[in-house]
């Protein structure tokens, strides 16, 4: 932790109560009068014969596992009798239990202002050998805070109940003469050891709390906490390494509570023990310092380096047993020792303000804003995964915890904190001020965003750019508008948001807009995958050019021409960069992706009246048809025919391309179909090594179907890879006899099937070209 966080934690650790997480006490059994259906009156102490009848009347008890309820006697082996079958003289028992519950309240550190009540859940019957492994009780209602176990007097050995919290333990046994009341918070881990002799009979109750559990800190403690928090929010975060740039003060303080809470059990008036006292102190300080304060659930994920307690053999995953009996689902890190924290992530959710309804928004947590008095490693994780030794990687264990936190921050920083979590929300707030014609407030909010804007917008989509464009066009301050728009890229502009670019021209002038668009169009900004960039060209480029050319402005048109030239240059470069190992099938897919962006570029040359680029694109189509088949040209023609009406279609100037494509397909179809004994494969492997030269000769040989080729392992792997990468119709296997092994290549019937399918496609395309000749 940073020094200021250490001080806050130190002060918080001094605040709390003397209460314990668990308590147990003996009580006379005279006032508990109960009956069990099918068994009758249960006289206390419980005799062995009555215990046997209770065991016979019980059913196997289930246990909770995450969101499931399971029956697994390797985890829980005990009998259960539901409360519906139990009758108690309630008035008499409640008179005796009420003062005990008040003592339990004090033992658990709960204040005078709250009251505990007990709600019967079931009866449990433990016979010899039965047990319940370490577990937590679920909070069955919103106001359930813990569990009360009433041990009925009986003779038994073993069966001790161990309750654990943060490394501390309370062990409670039973009595053969008195009731034993055992109470503990619901998030405490506890177990019942195996019964050796006799029977352990207990009633279990849900402990319910009414009233506030909040306890106060002393005035001196509150003052010390206020000082430490003020210093924390005013002190810059020191750089993590020498040479790093310094940071400003942390935005928030996030204090992880000691106890664990469920969504239904989290609330200001239901906090447990010292959590309640510390949360109350933080609430008081929040009011003093004008801070926002919330409760939230905290999901913690930690990755630790560890050592297997099993020694050298287990760290390598060795076991002397050939077969092992299946184990129940359990904590996989029980047999490891944590050595070093490698990574930690915390996410906040289910926010609860002061009296407000819970909110479900998620928020990440930075290390420089997180503090705790109990580290997560001292808690029991709800899930754990152990990764053993993996060569260069040592043993690691991942652990997940459900915790809760108090989140506090200066009210004046609310806007920036929310903006970091949701830049779209922040821009919407600026827009609200603009719509209210409060330009001063809008500009002030926008300028507050500038220090965090580049980082906050890294993972945002085009919707945010559209909203930011609309705001900047009405902001009235060129420097602030440029800074807000600088983190984005040209490919973030959509057809819907492109008109806002023209609005920027009107507001800030051509030089300002040119500088912005040149920054957006730089290759360091446009880092999308080629398929994504081509999709953007097909969907948004027309609208962008149209927005720039709606008025007779030479500056706008020049900028549009520059953008078109950049996209065309990139498209040609992408085509040249296609790898040497690209298969014919993959090449066909890549060429098909070119159709929509090329048509968009042709449309844009008509919008911008760029005759030079129009000619270059048509020349490319004609040349590329000869090199790689008619796929691109046909795709552009079909896309244009589907998109445009006849008059617009003719204005694109695609008639020569249409005629050229018709001649090319006619020429291809004039070549006789493949002969039945022609096994040649026209694909050429684009690799210049001697092995691939031999492979090319085999592929082009019309009479050679099979090639048996003795090759070393590395050479075989190269040929295997080439055949797969080029999607060649060749079966390739290795005959593992002799030295070196023999690679066996055999051409398949797909050689003929692909040719036939291609000719059918050409015939279909030629018919379409003949039918649409007049449209172009």
């Amino acid at each position: 932790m940073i020094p200021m966080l250490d001080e806050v934690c130190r002060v918080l650790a001094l605040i709390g109560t003397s209460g314990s997480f668990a308590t147990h006490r003996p009580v006379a059994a005279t006032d508990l009068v109960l009956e069990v259906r099918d068994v009758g009156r249960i006289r206390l102490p419980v005799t062995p014969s009555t215990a046997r009848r209770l065991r016979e009347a019980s059913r196997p008890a289930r246990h909770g596992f995450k969101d499931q309820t399971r029956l697994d006697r390797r985890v829980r082996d005990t009998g259960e009798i539901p409360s519906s079958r139990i009758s108690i003289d309630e008035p008499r028992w409640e008179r005796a239990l009420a003062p005990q519950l008040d003592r339990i309240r004090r033992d658990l550190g709960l204040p005078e202002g709250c009251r505990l009540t007990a709600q019967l859940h079931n009866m449990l019957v433990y016979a010899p050998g039965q047990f319940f492994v370490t577990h937590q009780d679920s909070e069955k209602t919103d106001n359930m805070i813990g569990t009360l176990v009433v041990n009925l007097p009986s003779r038994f050995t073993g069966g001790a109940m161990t309750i654990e919290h943060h490394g501390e333990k309370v062990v409670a046994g039973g009595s053969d003469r008195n009731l034993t009341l055992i109470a503990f918070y619901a998030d405490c881990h506890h177990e019942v050891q195996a019964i050796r002799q006799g029977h352990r009979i207990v009633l279990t109750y849900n402990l319910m709390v009414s009233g506030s559990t909040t306890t106060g800190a002393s005035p001196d403690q509150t003052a010390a906490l206020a000082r430490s928090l003020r210093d924390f929010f005013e002190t810059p975060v020191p750089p993590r390494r020498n040479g790093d740039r310094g940071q400003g003060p942390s935005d928030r303080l996030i204090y992880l509570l000691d106890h664990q809470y469920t969504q239904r059990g989290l609330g200001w008036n239901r906090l447990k023990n010292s959590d309640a006292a510390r949360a109350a102190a933080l609430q008081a300080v929040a009011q003093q310092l004008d801070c926002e304060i919330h409760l939230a659930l905290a999901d913690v994920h930690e990755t630790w380096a560890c050592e297997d307690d099993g020694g050298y053999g287990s760290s390598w995953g060795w076991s002397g047993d050939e077969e092992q009996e299946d184990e129940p689902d359990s904590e996989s890190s029980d047999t490891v020792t944590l050595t070093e924290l490698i990574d930690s992530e915390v996410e906040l959710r289910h926010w609860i303000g002061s009296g407000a309804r819970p909110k479900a928004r998620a928020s990440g947590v930075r290390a420089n804003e997180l503090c705790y008095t109990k580290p997560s490693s001292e808690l029991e994780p709800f899930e754990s995964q152990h990764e053993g030794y993996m060569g260069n990687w040592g043993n690691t264990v991942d652990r997940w915890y459900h915790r809760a936190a108090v989140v506090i921050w200066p009210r004046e920083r609310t806007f920036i904190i929310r903006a970091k979590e949701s830049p779209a929300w922040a821009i919407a707030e600026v827009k609200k001020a603009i719509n209210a014609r409060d330009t001063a407030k809008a500009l002030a909010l926008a300028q507050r965003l500038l220090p965090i804007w580049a980082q906050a917008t890294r993972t945002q989509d085009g919707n945010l750019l559209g909203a930011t464009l609309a705001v900047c066009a009405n902001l009235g301050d060129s420097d602030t508008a440029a800074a807000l728009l600088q983190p984005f890229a040209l490919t973030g502009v959509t057809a819907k948001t492109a008109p806002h670019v023209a609005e920027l021209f009107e507001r800030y002038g051509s030089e300002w807009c040119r500088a912005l668009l040149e920054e957006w169009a730089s290759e360091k900004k446009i880092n999308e995958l080629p398929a994504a960039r081509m999709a953007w060209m097909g969907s948004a480029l027309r609208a962008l050019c149209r927005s720039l050319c709606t008025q007779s402005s030479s500056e706008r048109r020049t900028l549009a021409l520059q953008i078109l030239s950049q996209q065309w240059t990139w498209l040609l470069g992408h085509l040249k960069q296609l790898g040497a190992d690209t298969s014919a099938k993959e090449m066909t897919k890549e060429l098909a992706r070119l159709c929509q962006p090329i048509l968009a570029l042709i449309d844009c040359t008509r919008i911008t009246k760029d005759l030079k680029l129009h000619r270059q694109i048509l020349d490319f189509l004609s040349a590329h048809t000869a090199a790689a088949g008619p796929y691109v040209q046909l795709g552009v023609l079909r896309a244009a025919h589907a998109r445009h009406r006849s008059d617009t279609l003719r204005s694109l100037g695609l008639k020569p391309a249409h005629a050229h494509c018709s001649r090319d397909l006619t020429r291809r179809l004039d070549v006789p179909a493949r002969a039945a004994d022609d096994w040649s494969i026209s694909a050429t492997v684009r690799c210049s090594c001697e092995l691939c030269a031999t492979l090319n000769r085999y592929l082009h040989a019309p009479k050679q179907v099979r090639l048996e080729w003795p090759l070393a392992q590395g050479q075989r792997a190269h040929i295997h890879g080439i055949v797969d990468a080029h999607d060649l119709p060749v079966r390739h296997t290795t005959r593992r006899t002799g030295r070196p092994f023999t690679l066996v290549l055999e051409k398949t019937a797909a050689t003929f099937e692909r040719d036939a399918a291609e000719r059918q496609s050409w015939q279909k395309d030629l018919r379409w070209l003949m039918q649409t000749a007049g449209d172009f």
Side-chain angles (χ1 to χ4, degrees), residues 67 73 209 338 472:
D67 58 348
R73 290 188 173 178
V209 65
L338 306 182
C472 289

Side-chain angles (χ1 to χ4, degrees), residues 394-456:
N395 291 339
T396 60
V397 62
D398 285 274
R399 288 182 160 194
W400 289 265
Y401 305 85
H402 287 324
R403 300 193 67 173
V406 178
V407 188
I408 184 172
W409 66 85
R411 201 179 304 276
E412 63 169 5
R413 298 187 193 175
T414 298
F415 177 73
I416 290 301
I417 292 170
R418 295 255 346 238
K420 288 179 178 179
E421 295 177 3
S422 175
W425 171 86
I427 282 295
E429 291 298 299
V430 180
K431 184 178 180 181
K432 285 181 184 178
I434 291 173
N435 292 343
R437 299 188 179 181
D438 191 344
T439 54
K441 179 181 178 181
L443 184 58
L445 290 176
Q447 289 174 343
R448 290 187 67 190
L449 291 174
L450 299 184
I452 59 98
W453 195 241
Q455 179 70 27

Side-chain angles (χ1 to χ4, degrees), residues 241-375:
R241 295 179 294 271
N242 292 334
D244 285 0
R245 295 178 60 185
Q247 304 178 47
S250 299
D251 290 322
R252 307 176 297 183
L253 176 86
I254 293 144
Y255 170 64
L256 295 177
L257 300 173
D258 284 358
H259 287 268
Q260 299 186 68
Y261 299 87
T262 62
Q263 181 170 314
R264 68 191 306 173
L266 183 65
W268 290 105
N269 64 343
R270 292 193 296 276
L271 298 179
K272 304 166 184 175
N273 211 329
S274 56
D275 287 347
R278 292 166 187 165
L282 287 168
Q283 284 181 302
V285 170
Q287 191 170 6
Q288 288 183 30
L289 303 183
D290 192 27
C291 290
E292 292 271 2
I293 187 166
H294 292 259
L295 283 175
L297 292 178
D299 291 335
V300 181
H301 173 206
E302 292 185 346
T303 302
W304 286 81
C306 65
E307 294 178 355
D308 288 335
D309 292 346
Y312 180 88
S314 64
S315 69
W316 285 82
W318 176 85
S319 171
D321 297 329
E322 291 296 325
E323 296 182 2
Q324 296 183 5
E325 185 177 333
D326 289 342
E327 294 293 331
D329 291 311
S330 62
E331 172 59 56
S332 62
S333 62
D334 282 345
T335 59
V336 301
T337 300
L338 306 182
T339 57
E340 181 185 0
L341 181 63
I342 299 172
D343 191 24
S344 177
E345 294 179 342
V346 180
E347 183 178 78
L348 303 176
R349 57 184 176 84
H350 188 68
W351 294 65
I352 300 175
S354 53
R357 295 182 62 185
K359 297 180 180 179
R361 77 173 191 267
S363 173
V365 174
R366 299 168 187 251
N368 59 27
E369 56 189 13
L370 181 68
C371 73
Y372 43 80
T373 48
K374 289 290 184 182

